[in-house]
Amino acid sequence: MENIKSYVQQHKDRFINELIELLKIPSVSADTAYSQDVIDTAEAVKESLSKAGCDYVETCDTPGYPIIYGEKIIDPNLPTVLVYGHYDVQPPDPLELWTSPPFEPVIKTTDIHPEGAIFARGACDDKGQMYMHVKALELMVQSNTLPCNVKFMIEGEEEVGSASLAWFVERNQEKLKNDVILISDTGMISNQQPSITTGLRGLSYVEVEVTGPNRDLHSGLYGGAVANPINILAKMIASLHDENNHITIPGFYDKVQELSAEERAEMAKAPFSLEKYKNALNIADVYGEKGYVTNERNSIRPTLDVNGIWGGYTGEGAKTVIASKAFAKISMRLVPNQDWEEITELFTKHFTSIAPTGVTVKVTPHHGGQGYVTPIDSIGYQAANKAYTETFGVPAIPVRSGGSIPIVALFEKELKSKTILMGFGLDSDAIHSPNEHFGIFNYLKGIETIPLFYKYFVELSK
């Protein structure tokens, strides 16, 4: 452990500067205006894996953005760890809410990160966490302590559904053969209390379009006489929850797994301050499904949220029109056992059925994925827990995450491998939001902890 700490301290400035250079490239996969930047980022990742010590690295073409594959095989008889990460990032909008430009990384101190944090889009999700693994490989290669084989699979479409990754995995099962999959695209409870994510929610993401008259109409001449698509859409969306914030789509909860009182009690052991939670978000109170506490609502329960809504005139000043169309983007976070395609069908059927006859409704599915639960008695979990315990001084707590990484279920289906989610970000790191950041402490602590996972995974596998 001292050798690991010594190496990290000796090279920390270079580690930080290398990550900053990677964060400068605006690899926004959702916007085709950034296509070349996404491709440039893939090449930067490829070069970094080669420099870190991979014996073989290649750019793998897909129907979409390329996947970077790298490997270092020291002995075919030893276990193999497959590292997954992604180099694409969310759009930075709204730009006016950033305190510094999203692709001009800067280090700032905060109350939570007194040693500094890197502010940039992708700092935590997932360039910073992905790059920890690259630097951990460098550390193990340079110190001659790599105890097993390692493979890397870094994609560029995670933020838009990972369609090309599914295509790639299905066609490269032998290349990707492994004993455990290691991912850092999640968080932990705090810098004092590490945690290991043992569950992820699934996702169904759709766009809805409500159409009324064949053109925008004068609201004085036609107001009150024809259906207003924006008014109708607002009513339809409001009806998707009842007075207890229970989702009203028929069949939505049919396959939801109810956790036992014992399991809920174990979850409740995780440190949590409701007052701090509210203060951090500047809200007067929390909100959600009746009968569940905050940490259950955002992890073990399914949700339905509007992610964007628009229609009509939104420019400066007034324009008195009844819009011809209204739109919304809606995401549903799902729990294990809920099939995202089935839920999408249930939503489509229900949303179409509740529309009044004065409008027509179109539902367009975008992407989705299954939920996932990993057992805490696996060798991979035990190795991760031992690694965290050594670097943080306390054991990790198993937690269920409210987020979605749809490809984790895909990996188990296609590669027959369990996934270990070793996250080092914090809930306060503002991923997907303006002013995303990643603590210097967290970044370097990840580089310290990951090599210990390899060590203990090999020892426990014997």
Side-chain angles (χ1 to χ4, degrees):
M1 181 61 191
E2 289 307 313
N3 289 337
I4 293 175
K5 284 187 173 181
S6 175
Y7 190 90
V8 172
Q9 286 302 309
Q10 181 182 351
H11 297 277
K12 67 175 184 178
D13 289 342
R14 175 171 60 84
F15 290 170
I16 294 168
N17 289 334
E18 287 179 8
L19 175 56
I20 285 174
E21 290 303 310
L22 190 65
L23 292 169
K24 289 180 180 179
I25 314 174
S27 52
V28 180
S29 55
D31 189 339
T32 55
Y34 296 94
S35 294
Q36 187 57 50
D37 296 299
V38 178
I39 293 170
D40 290 345
T41 307
E43 287 304 303
V45 171
K46 179 181 180 181
E47 182 179 354
S48 70
L49 284 173
S50 295
K51 290 181 177 178
C54 281
D55 294 327
Y56 176 74
V57 186
E58 65 174 329
T59 300
C60 302
D61 292 331
T62 75
Y65 287 117
I67 289 170
I68 303 302
Y69 173 82
E71 65 179 29
K72 188 169 185 65
I73 308 298
I74 62 175
D75 184 342
N77 295 316
L78 289 172
T80 297
V81 176
L82 174 63
V83 176
Y84 163 84
H86 64 93
Y87 60 82
D88 65 321
V89 301
Q90 281 274 322
D93 311 76
L95 294 173
E96 67 274 12
L97 297 183
W98 284 78
T99 57
S100 56
F103 298 108
E104 297 178 19
V106 295
I107 297 175
K108 308 175 192 177
T109 59
T110 71
D111 291 341
I112 295 175
H113 298 294
E115 74 299 322
I118 303 174
F119 280 70
R121 173 57 87 229
C124 180
D125 181 21
D126 179 47
K127 285 179 178 175
Q129 298 212 71
M130 175 270 292
Y131 206 67
M132 295 183 311
H133 290 271
V134 179
K135 295 296 97 179
L137 173 65
E138 175 194 312
L139 186 157
M140 290 185 285
V141 170
Q142 292 299 319
S143 60
N144 197 30
T145 56
L146 180 64
C148 63
N149 308 309
V150 59
K151 298 176 180 178
F152 287 83
M153 177 172 56
I154 315 297
E155 68 151 323
E157 296 181 16
E158 195 274 346
E159 301 293 5
V160 290
S162 298
S164 296
L165 183 72
W167 179 92
F168 179 77
V169 170
E170 291 166 4
R171 289 160 175 78
N172 291 276
Q173 294 189 10
E174 187 61 31
K175 179 198 289 280
L176 301 172
K177 190 175 180 181
N178 66 83
D179 295 282
V180 68
I181 298 170
L182 187 60
I183 300 176
S184 295
D185 196 10
T186 51
M188 60 183 185
I189 293 172
S190 72
N191 285 354
Q192 295 73 43
Q193 178 58 68
S195 54
I196 301 172
T197 301
T198 57
L200 295 164
R201 289 194 287 192
L203 175 69
S204 169
Y205 194 101
V206 301
E207 182 173 323
V208 299
E209 175 184 327
V210 176
T211 302
N214 60 4
R215 64 186 188 278
D216 288 358
L217 302 177
H218 189 292
S219 64
L221 298 179
Y222 292 93
V226 298
N228 183 323
I230 299 176
N231 293 355
I232 297 298
L233 176 59
K235 289 180 180 180
M236 292 171 68
I237 288 173
S239 76
L240 295 175
H241 292 88
D242 64 16
E243 68 277 7
N244 294 318
N245 289 314
H246 197 264
I247 297 164
T248 58
I249 299 171
F252 188 86
Y253 291 95
D254 285 357
K255 295 183 180 179
V256 171
Q257 183 182 32
E258 296 285 346
L259 268 66
S260 66
E262 290 77 15
E263 288 176 291
R264 292 174 71 178
E266 281 298 309
M267 286 184 59
K269 292 179 180 178
F272 178 74
S273 166
L274 184 59
E275 287 307 309
K276 288 182 179 178
Y277 184 86
K278 291 189 292 185
N279 290 339
L281 299 174
N282 194 27
I283 56 175
D285 203 358
V286 292
Y287 185 85
E289 186 181 2
K290 187 177 180 180
Y292 297 90
V293 299
T294 299
N295 280 349
E296 294 175 329
R297 291 168 176 166
N298 64 17
S299 62
I300 64 171
R301 299 299 294 169
T303 63
L304 184 152
D305 286 293
V306 178
N307 303 126
I309 186 167
W310 69 99
Y313 179 71
T314 58
E316 186 176 349
K319 183 181 182 184
T320 51
V321 294
I322 295 173
S324 171
K325 293 178 179 291
F327 305 84
K329 294 182 186 289
I330 298 173
S331 65
M332 290 160 280
R333 299 286 177 169
L334 312 175
V335 294
N337 293 349
Q338 284 185 298
D339 181 85
W340 76 270
E341 292 178 321
E342 181 180 341
I343 292 297
T344 301
E345 290 181 8
L346 290 174
F347 174 90
T348 302
K349 181 179 179 181
H350 176 68
F351 203 74
T352 303
S353 72
I354 62 175
T357 55
V359 299
T360 58
V361 173
K362 178 183 177 183
V363 178
T364 304
H366 277 287
H367 62 272
Q370 307 301 110
Y372 182 78
V373 176
T374 188
I376 64 174
D377 59 356
S378 68
I379 290 174
Y381 180 90
Q382 293 172 27
N385 189 29
K386 287 173 72 70
Y388 276 119
T389 302
E390 186 163 338
T391 54
F392 284 85
V394 294
I397 292 175
V399 297
R400 294 275 190 106
S401 170
S404 303
I405 311 179
I407 47 81
V408 173
L410 168 75
F411 289 160
E412 179 148 343
K413 175 186 175 185
E414 298 293 338
L415 303 178
K416 315 301 184 213
S417 301
K418 291 295 182 184
T419 294
I420 303 301
L421 298 160
M422 289 185 69
F424 292 86
L426 302 178
D427 286 346
S428 58
D429 287 344
I431 64 171
H432 292 210
S433 301
N435 304 309
E436 177 182 352
H437 55 280
F438 191 35
I440 299 296
F441 169 88
N442 305 71
Y443 176 51
L444 299 179
K445 187 64 76 170
I447 300 171
E448 285 182 15
T449 307
I450 290 165
L452 294 172
F453 170 84
Y454 285 76
K455 172 188 174 184
Y456 291 124
F457 184 76
V458 172
E459 289 180 1
L460 293 169
S461 297
K462 292 179 180 177

